[in-house]
Amino acid sequence: MADTREFDLTLFGATGFVGKLTAQYLVGAAPESARIALAGRSLDKLTAVRDELGPKAAGWGMVVADSTDQAGLDELAARTKVVVTTVGPYLRYGLPLVAACAKSGTHYADLTGEPLFIRDAIDAHHEQAVQTGAKIVNSCGYDSIPSDLSVYQLYRRTIEDNTGELTDTTLVAALKGGVSGATIDSGRAMMETIAADPAKGSVLSHPYSLSPDKSMDPDVGRQSDQALSRASAIDPSLDGWVGTFVMASHNTKIVRRTNGLLGWVYGKNFRYREVMSAGKSRVAPLIAAGMAGGIVAGMTVGALLSRASAGRKLLDRVLPKPGTGPSEKVRESGWFSMKTFAHTSSGAKYVSTFFGTGDPGYQATAVMLGESGLCLAFDSDQPPSQAGILTPAAAMGNALTDRLRTAGMTITVERA
């Protein structure tokens, strides 16, 4: 991309909860020469956010734009090299900005955990983004960077060691943190969409629904994102029982899409799932079963309630509100640890570790999103060199991994 744009990076949604956290991170992480702008609907609120950020942000630009104003979003995208957006749910508000970026060849990063939105973006804008050179990168937060980069780095290690293709691969998640109102609202947006068009439910249930080429989907038999097993079946070092990780249904689709975008380099026999410990007690198997069944039941009940106005009003009363979040003390006390156990076609075994401090959905996500934006702005010439609707690993690979390590996150791969 020619360096003729007014800004290197524009943060859209800068006045929201996660938007402010991301802006605060960029103040310390961005190069002094970086040309950054804050964007949102209210100039007064943008000014207040910029003033709170201190003298380092005094020269940052401000762009007034609304997610429903296509002309305004087109103008925003044309002025900047990269747009980082926290404005969700993306199913409701995200596609016009994707359209603007695909049209103008502007790189883009978001925080979506909504497969329905990504499928719509692929169908509507992938080809144009490829033509203009835009890297439209979804899921650049806790969903799904740790998952995606962990498997990518495992693949890179197998290449270095010449130990064959990846086969059975399982991520085991542990974390301390809360569920945000924005995450709940994204789930509601998907429920409401499925209630209006039940056929779209297959995007959530099919493991390869985000595949770039259906004819190339691996033939590895029945695969499900629901899990219930003894932890020792994953690796002898693990005890107790495991059940489905709450974000497995989304993260696994991102990882599988990466495999496809990179030409199925992980292997045609690559099988991937994500789990979370249910403990070692006598009731652990029941807890693990409940982790899997509870997710499905919750989505089903939510979709049913979303069909009627009375049901939607009930959800409004009982669910956390978007734009809210925990205190600074609570955010700083959080952490996450993702260990991914992998086998290869030659019989080699590996384990990757992705560890970060700070509440994963807020503090750590602001770091990952901020570094994704900076990577797209300043490292976009590094491989992989793809364009289109992409995943974090397919768009930024080693460059983003290096940035996150420098930012204090632990990302390692060891041979078992």
Side-chain angles (χ1 to χ4, degrees):
M1 183 188 301
D3 190 16
T4 58
R5 307 283 175 111
E6 184 178 354
F7 304 115
D8 294 309
L9 186 155
T10 297
L11 176 61
F12 185 50
T15 61
F17 195 89
V18 178
K20 289 179 181 179
L21 293 177
T22 306
Q24 290 167 5
Y25 179 76
L26 289 172
V27 167
E32 289 188 11
S33 60
R35 301 165 299 167
I36 295 176
L38 305 176
R41 290 180 297 176
S42 166
L43 180 60
D44 288 343
K45 291 183 178 179
L46 290 171
T47 302
V49 169
R50 189 177 68 174
D51 290 346
E52 291 172 2
L53 294 174
K56 288 187 177 180
W60 288 8
M62 291 183 291
V63 179
V64 177
D66 191 287
S67 60
T68 62
D69 178 10
Q70 188 65 64
L73 294 176
D74 288 346
E75 182 180 351
L76 180 156
R79 296 174 65 185
T80 188
K81 292 170 63 177
V82 176
V83 173
V84 169
T85 174
T86 65
V87 179
Y90 295 92
L91 261 175
R92 294 180 187 149
Y93 308 118
L95 278 178
L97 182 57
V98 171
C101 290
K103 178 181 177 181
S104 63
T106 300
H107 301 326
Y108 161 109
D110 68 29
L111 291 174
T112 189
E114 305 164 46
L116 297 179
F117 165 72
I118 298 176
R119 186 68 257 175
D120 287 347
I122 293 167
D123 294 341
H125 303 296
H126 177 74
E127 292 303 325
Q128 185 176 35
V130 170
Q131 294 169 5
T132 63
K135 294 186 176 186
I136 310 292
V137 192
N138 303 121
S139 304
C140 292
Y142 183 58
D143 313 321
S144 304
I145 279 178
S147 306
D148 204 27
L149 289 186
S150 290
V151 178
Y152 180 77
Q153 291 305 326
L154 282 164
Y155 153 70
R156 296 285 300 178
R157 179 62 182 271
T158 65
I159 295 299
E160 292 176 11
D161 294 351
N162 192 27
T163 49
E165 298 179 335
L166 292 171
T167 55
D168 290 336
T169 303
T170 301
L171 180 147
V172 181
L175 69 148
K176 179 185 177 184
V179 178
S180 72
T183 299
I184 296 295
D185 208 29
S186 292
R188 285 194 60 184
M190 289 193 289
M191 295 174 205
E192 292 168 3
T193 298
I194 293 171
D197 185 0
K200 290 200 171 186
S202 63
V203 176
L204 296 184
S205 62
H206 197 289
Y208 289 95
S209 60
L210 300 184
S211 171
D213 184 350
K214 296 294 184 184
S215 67
M216 293 294 291
D217 288 351
D219 183 13
V220 292
R222 181 175 177 82
Q223 219 179 160
S224 172
D225 291 327
Q226 304 305 312
L228 170 61
S229 69
R230 289 188 178 275
S232 58
I234 299 168
D235 188 83
S237 66
L238 302 176
D239 294 326
W241 289 78
V242 295
T244 307
F245 178 47
V246 66
M247 286 308 301
S249 178
H250 180 73
N251 293 338
T252 54
K253 291 176 177 61
I254 294 294
V255 171
R256 293 177 191 128
R257 179 167 175 78
T258 294
N259 190 22
L261 288 168
L262 297 179
W264 308 107
V265 293
Y266 297 167
K268 293 291 287 188
N269 293 309
F270 172 68
R271 297 171 65 95
Y272 180 71
R273 62 176 180 157
E274 295 190 351
V275 302
M276 191 171 184
S277 174
K280 306 175 186 178
S281 69
R282 292 182 179 180
V283 297
L286 297 177
I287 295 173
M291 290 163 68
I295 295 168
V296 175
M299 290 295 291
T300 301
V301 171
L304 291 173
L305 288 173
S306 296
R307 292 181 180 180
S309 60
R312 291 192 292 272
K313 289 179 181 178
L314 175 62
L315 292 173
D316 285 338
R317 287 199 298 270
V318 301
L319 294 177
K321 299 296 185 290
T324 61
S327 67
E328 182 178 0
K329 181 179 179 180
V330 172
R331 294 196 309 269
E332 291 183 348
S333 69
W335 55 269
F336 69 91
S337 176
M338 319 286 266
K339 286 191 175 292
T340 307
F341 298 85
H343 298 74
T344 75
S345 55
S346 72
K349 297 180 181 179
Y350 294 89
V351 58
S352 72
T353 299
F354 197 125
F355 175 83
T357 58
D359 185 290
Y362 293 100
Q363 204 92 345
T365 280
V367 175
M368 288 184 270
L369 181 62
E371 289 296 347
S372 294
L374 294 172
C375 189
L376 290 170
F378 300 109
D379 307 330
S380 61
D381 57 338
Q382 295 188 32
S385 58
Q386 298 196 51
I389 309 299
L390 304 176
T391 60
M396 296 174 279
N398 284 339
L400 181 57
T401 303
D402 291 342
R403 279 187 167 274
L404 292 176
R405 284 171 173 155
T406 300
M409 293 187 179
T410 298
I411 308 172
T412 62
V413 176
E414 298 178 356
R415 189 164 181 174

